Amino acid sequence: MRQIVLDTETTGLEVEQQHRVIEIGCVELFNRRLTGRSFHRYLNPERDIDLGAQQVHGLSREQLSKEPTFAQVHPEFLEFVNDAELIIHNAPFDVAFLNAEFGRLEAARKITDTCRVLDTLALARQMHPGQRNTLDALCKRYSVDNSHREYHGALLDARILAEVYLAMTGGQAKFMLSAESDTARSRARQAAPMRGAEGVRIVVVQASDEEMAAHEHVLALLDKASHGNTVWRSL
């Protein structure tokens, strides 16, 4: 399965006010492994950049004045992302801006005509309801190093998001029994002992209904994230 982790930077927050994309950063995953291939372009927005946006990404109109326009790079961009699944944090924002850029071209189309889209913000909200699910918060939750993220940059953020996505959807969970886990110890004491082939005493601890329901919930989230391509479906 080919996936492209994508991020953009823009001149402002409101696509309805004709704000433009000024940076696109993409990294490629194939079968959940980083391939080393990437796509990164700065773009001339042909308009001013809001001060608030400039303080986030550090890019000025003067810096971008000699960069190509979106119209000039879009064939190369489309070739890179064609027929892949796009992984985007807060996807509606980036998709709206990309669709607006496509809409300015004569051969108008939408990014969703070319790619499927997975929103990692929506996925994180399902997995961690009621918690902060910004990219920085997810980095902290999944121990992904983002200490070098002084400014928001599309390629840097795409690389960070790739690590977060892989950790969210495939990281090995750490199963720990705390010293205060009286319930677990109680179930172990009450479990019926069994004898193995060599006479070794085996204690079987059954999962509770609540634990089984939580397990099935996580499996459903992973299955949704992979669009039905999870391993257990083929077993």
Side-chain angles (χ1 to χ4, degrees):
M1 180 170 61
R2 183 169 178 267
Q3 297 169 301
I4 301 295
V5 186
L6 178 147
D7 187 60
T8 65
E9 299 297 339
T10 62
T11 61
L13 298 178
E14 301 296 333
V15 68
E16 295 83 4
Q17 296 180 10
Q18 304 302 309
H19 281 291
R20 305 289 300 274
V21 176
I22 57 174
E23 185 184 6
I24 302 175
C26 305
V27 295
E28 182 183 59
L29 297 174
F30 190 77
N31 289 338
R32 294 184 54 79
R33 293 181 182 273
L34 286 163
T35 67
R37 294 186 67 221
S38 63
F39 177 91
H40 182 223
R41 295 291 182 275
Y42 291 106
L43 303 172
N44 181 356
E46 302 177 299
R47 60 154 291 158
D48 290 336
I49 299 175
D50 281 3
L51 179 60
Q54 189 170 329
Q55 290 173 340
V56 170
H57 49 60
L59 298 172
S60 68
R61 182 174 184 177
E62 182 181 1
Q63 288 175 287
L64 300 171
S65 61
K66 295 182 179 180
E67 299 294 341
T69 64
F70 183 85
Q72 292 172 315
V73 305
H74 93 276
E76 185 182 4
F77 171 65
L78 279 178
E79 181 180 358
F80 187 82
V81 303
N82 184 52
D83 201 30
E85 178 180 59
L86 297 183
I87 300 172
I88 308 173
H89 201 66
N90 191 18
F93 178 88
D94 300 82
V95 167
F97 271 90
L98 289 172
N99 285 343
E101 295 291 350
F102 283 123
R104 295 183 178 95
L105 306 176
E106 290 185 7
R109 62 190 303 175
K110 295 182 178 180
I111 189 65
T112 47
D113 295 334
T114 301
C115 305
R116 304 174 303 281
V117 177
L118 171 65
D119 184 1
T120 50
L121 177 58
L123 179 62
R125 285 171 173 167
Q126 291 178 357
M127 296 177 68
H128 309 289
Q131 301 184 49
R132 294 182 68 248
N133 290 299
T134 64
L135 186 55
D136 285 337
L138 292 174
C139 284
K140 184 176 181 180
R141 188 172 302 145
Y142 289 100
S143 301
V144 173
D145 181 17
N146 66 340
S147 58
H148 48 303
R149 191 183 185 224
E150 182 177 354
Y151 281 109
H152 287 246
L155 184 59
L156 174 61
D157 284 1
R159 287 172 173 162
I160 292 173
L161 180 57
E163 293 186 55
V164 168
Y165 167 74
L166 292 174
M168 285 175 63
T169 59
Q172 177 63 48
K174 296 180 180 179
F175 295 99
M176 301 176 62
L177 294 178
S178 68
E180 296 77 26
S181 183
D182 295 332
T183 302
R185 289 198 299 271
S186 176
R187 288 213 314 273
R189 285 196 298 267
Q190 295 172 6
M194 297 177 61
R195 296 285 174 177
E198 303 298 327
V200 178
R201 186 174 183 272
I202 301 173
V203 176
V204 179
V205 180
Q206 300 290 340
S208 69
D209 291 342
E210 292 80 6
E211 289 168 331
M212 289 300 298
H215 176 66
E216 291 298 328
H217 178 64
V218 172
L219 292 184
L221 291 175
L222 294 176
D223 193 47
K224 180 178 179 181
S226 67
H227 296 283
N229 293 316
T230 44
V231 174
W232 53 85
R233 282 185 172 272
S234 61
L235 299 178

